[in-house]
Amino acid sequence: MLAQGERVLRILRDGGHQAFFVGGCVRDELMGRPVHDMDIATSAKPDEVVRLFERTIPTGIQHGTVTVMMGDHAFEVTTFRKESDYADYRRPTSVEFVDAVTEDLRRRDFTMNAIARGLEGELIDPFGGRMDIERELIRCVGDAEERFAEDALRMMRAVRFASTFGFRPVLSLWKALLAGRDKLGYIAKERVRMELEKIVLGPDPLRGLALLERSGLLRYAKAAQEPAAAEAHGAEAGAGAAEATPGAAATPGAIAALSRRLLHREPPRRALLAALPLLAPAPPALRWSLLLQALGAPGEAASPLLKSWTFPNQTAQEAAGIVRFDEAWEAILAEAPGEREQRRGWIGLQVAFGRETAGRWLHRQQAVVQAAIGDDAKRQADQAILARAGQWHREVQVHTLKELAISGGEVLQTAGRKGGPWLSELLKQLLIAVAAGELPNDRLTLLKHVETVVKNDGSKPIA
């Protein structure tokens, strides 16, 4: 990518224009982090950029941005500009093209993102971004209150960068964030959710959640003003907020308010939160299931809650499935002290929820046990149960009725009965018995077993 990006700079420069790498790619290079996207700022106007390159896409041409395709890579090339008259604390209503890169850098959010790099590696750093990177500080370009008034989402970005990089917001930024946090209510909840995702799925989610708790920022997000969230905010005032209305208490506003407090409460909840960093780069649903359970959200509330915050259906359903699986497994452990009963309970759950959900739960619980502190005897017991569950997980060979060697029609023919609830119950018992290895998945054997059940008027249990 670097070679293609430098070629774009060279073509622009050879065409008589200034051109620089800007923003996150320069910041990440200075920090020694992988560079994924390379944005370019130039003095060339959009029509001049289009004339210079064979393959372009008018991504945001009214704001000066043209996407240049170079080989297999796309580069956003934006004309030097300044912005004014921001609408709804998010979008500039006026864009003016300028000739100097310094003026373009002035409109950016934080000093570490306001650095330009030329083709020969020279840096243009008018706001001390490199020094702030070295000192691990997050500082706004110019006046912090003005930057947040221009784009209120920058407050969430500040928390995200502090969490992801381990940097410290300077006092002026923090004061401006507290003073302007009500402006977050103007930002679409999809955008806020994307920043929250990056925090929770980042390398140090607990730091990010603690900063959100300290700032109270998410209480002002759009979703926090909805009825369910309003109940949660009322619950936050009490010491037992996590035990208040379960669905409401797990709103993202409550996530921020409760997260740090939970770190000093019940050991099981501490372990759930402490396991978050251990699940990178696991599927997002694993972390969300942990966070929801740490806040006391039941499985039935998990999917609607995440969907209300515009999470993809797949993530919401997977997270809810893990929470519901965990609830059901805990009930089995409480009721079935023997290993044989636990094995059959596990296999029943795996058949009901599917191999994938059971596997996700196992992956997640390895992190939970690893993160647990204190009682070594309990940790060893939990590890032993997980080891057995992992073995049972691998042993299950069938999960659906389609995988059985007989069909419902064959059962009806053998039984000589009309269909009804008994048929689905019998097929379910057969499936679990085969999954548990108590019956072979053999057509003749299964039909013979059906005959035996029928002769006993359905009273004889499977296996």
Side-chain angles (χ1 to χ4, degrees):
M1 176 184 285
L2 178 59
Q4 289 91 336
E6 289 179 343
R7 186 179 174 196
V8 174
L9 289 191
R10 189 171 291 105
I11 291 172
L12 287 165
R13 196 174 68 173
D14 292 347
H17 307 288
Q18 300 176 61
F20 303 91
F21 293 121
V22 291
C25 64
V26 181
R27 176 201 67 219
D28 289 344
E29 183 180 48
L30 290 173
M31 293 176 64
R33 294 168 54 87
V35 174
H36 300 291
D37 298 307
M38 304 189 76
D39 293 336
I40 293 170
T42 180
S43 60
K45 303 299 189 290
D47 59 325
E48 294 172 320
V49 174
V50 171
R51 285 198 299 269
L52 282 171
F53 296 92
E54 294 180 3
R55 299 164 58 205
T56 61
I57 303 170
T59 312
I61 204 161
Q62 71 275 18
H63 293 116
T65 300
V66 175
T67 298
V68 172
M69 302 301 301
M70 186 65 64
D72 295 330
H73 298 286
F75 299 89
E76 284 198 356
V77 179
T78 303
T79 304
F80 298 156
R81 70 188 191 196
K82 63 180 181 180
E83 303 164 345
S84 59
D85 302 323
Y86 288 76
D88 297 331
Y89 304 103
R90 176 59 184 160
R91 297 177 299 275
T93 57
S94 174
V95 172
E96 178 184 345
F97 297 145
V98 295
D99 296 324
V101 67
T102 300
E103 191 66 26
D104 181 84
L105 296 174
R106 191 182 304 278
R107 68 180 175 84
R108 298 176 183 270
D109 49 8
F110 308 113
T111 58
M112 63 181 178
N113 296 331
I115 308 171
R117 181 175 82 77
L119 193 57
E120 280 74 36
E122 70 280 13
L123 295 180
I124 298 177
D125 182 16
F127 307 105
R130 184 172 189 175
M131 181 177 293
D132 282 342
I133 289 173
E134 292 172 353
R135 297 172 64 189
E136 299 184 345
L137 298 176
I138 301 175
R139 188 193 312 273
C140 286
V141 173
D143 185 84
E145 289 193 16
E146 291 181 9
R147 298 293 81 75
F148 293 153
E150 292 165 354
D151 182 353
L153 190 64
R154 287 169 171 170
M155 292 182 283
M156 285 292 296
R157 284 168 56 82
V159 172
R160 192 241 299 177
F161 286 135
S163 172
T164 302
F165 300 152
F167 284 12
R168 177 173 58 86
V170 299
L171 183 59
S172 60
L173 182 152
W174 192 252
K175 287 182 175 179
L177 187 153
L178 296 179
R181 57 191 177 179
D182 60 306
K183 299 178 179 65
L184 193 65
Y186 289 89
I187 304 300
K189 58 185 178 182
E190 292 88 346
R191 293 183 174 274
V192 177
R193 184 261 300 166
M194 289 173 66
E195 293 297 328
L196 181 60
E197 275 193 287
K198 291 174 181 177
I199 291 170
V200 172
L201 302 181
D204 192 357
L206 298 185
R207 174 174 168 79
L209 290 169
L211 287 171
L212 287 173
E213 187 275 335
R214 284 175 52 199
S215 67
L217 193 58
L218 283 181
R219 299 175 196 170
Y220 296 88
K222 276 189 175 180
Q225 310 311 318
E226 296 171 357
E231 295 178 26
H233 295 161
E236 287 171 19
E243 289 70 41
T245 307
T251 60
I255 287 174
L258 295 172
S259 57
R260 191 171 65 172
R261 198 183 319 167
L262 285 171
L263 290 173
H264 304 288
R265 296 178 66 184
E266 301 92 332
R269 292 189 173 184
R270 288 206 308 269
L272 291 173
L273 288 173
L276 286 174
L278 304 180
L279 286 170
L286 273 64
R287 289 200 189 189
W288 289 113
S289 71
L290 282 175
L291 192 55
L292 290 169
Q293 282 191 278
L295 296 168
E300 63 185 14
S303 181
L305 172 64
L306 293 178
K307 287 180 181 179
S308 74
W309 267 70
T310 74
F311 279 86
N313 285 340
Q314 181 177 346
T315 299
Q317 291 170 3
E318 288 180 359
I322 296 168
V323 175
R324 287 165 45 228
F325 187 99
D326 186 76
E327 292 169 344
W329 177 237
E330 286 299 318
I332 287 172
L333 289 179
E335 298 170 2
E339 184 175 330
R340 184 177 184 278
E341 293 81 5
Q342 290 175 3
R343 178 180 183 276
R344 210 165 197 282
W346 172 275
I347 291 171
L349 285 185
Q350 184 162 321
V351 168
F353 285 90
R355 177 181 290 275
E356 293 77 10
T357 297
R360 293 186 192 105
W361 182 89
L362 283 168
H363 185 170
R364 190 193 83 159
Q365 292 307 109
Q366 293 289 352
V368 172
V369 172
Q370 182 180 346
I373 57 175
D375 192 339
D376 289 337
K378 184 179 185 307
R379 183 190 294 107
Q380 291 174 3
D382 289 342
Q383 287 172 337
I385 291 175
L386 275 183
R388 291 197 296 269
Q391 178 63 34
W392 302 332
H393 176 65
R394 293 187 292 272
E395 290 173 354
V396 179
Q397 298 301 311
V398 294
H399 292 81
T400 67
L401 294 176
K402 290 182 180 180
E403 297 174 90
L404 280 181
I406 60 173
S407 66
E410 290 176 302
V411 173
L412 287 175
Q413 186 176 3
T414 301
R417 294 183 180 180
K418 292 183 179 180
W422 70 271
L423 176 61
S424 61
E425 180 60 28
L426 179 54
L427 286 170
K428 178 182 175 183
Q429 291 180 31
L430 287 171
L431 178 61
I432 293 176
V434 172
E438 296 163 355
L439 285 174
N441 194 19
D442 173 75
R443 180 175 177 275
L444 293 178
T445 303
L446 293 178
L447 288 177
K448 184 177 180 180
H449 194 86
V450 170
E451 290 177 353
T452 302
V453 171
V454 171
K455 285 179 181 178
N456 285 276
D457 196 26
S459 61
K460 182 177 179 179
I462 295 296

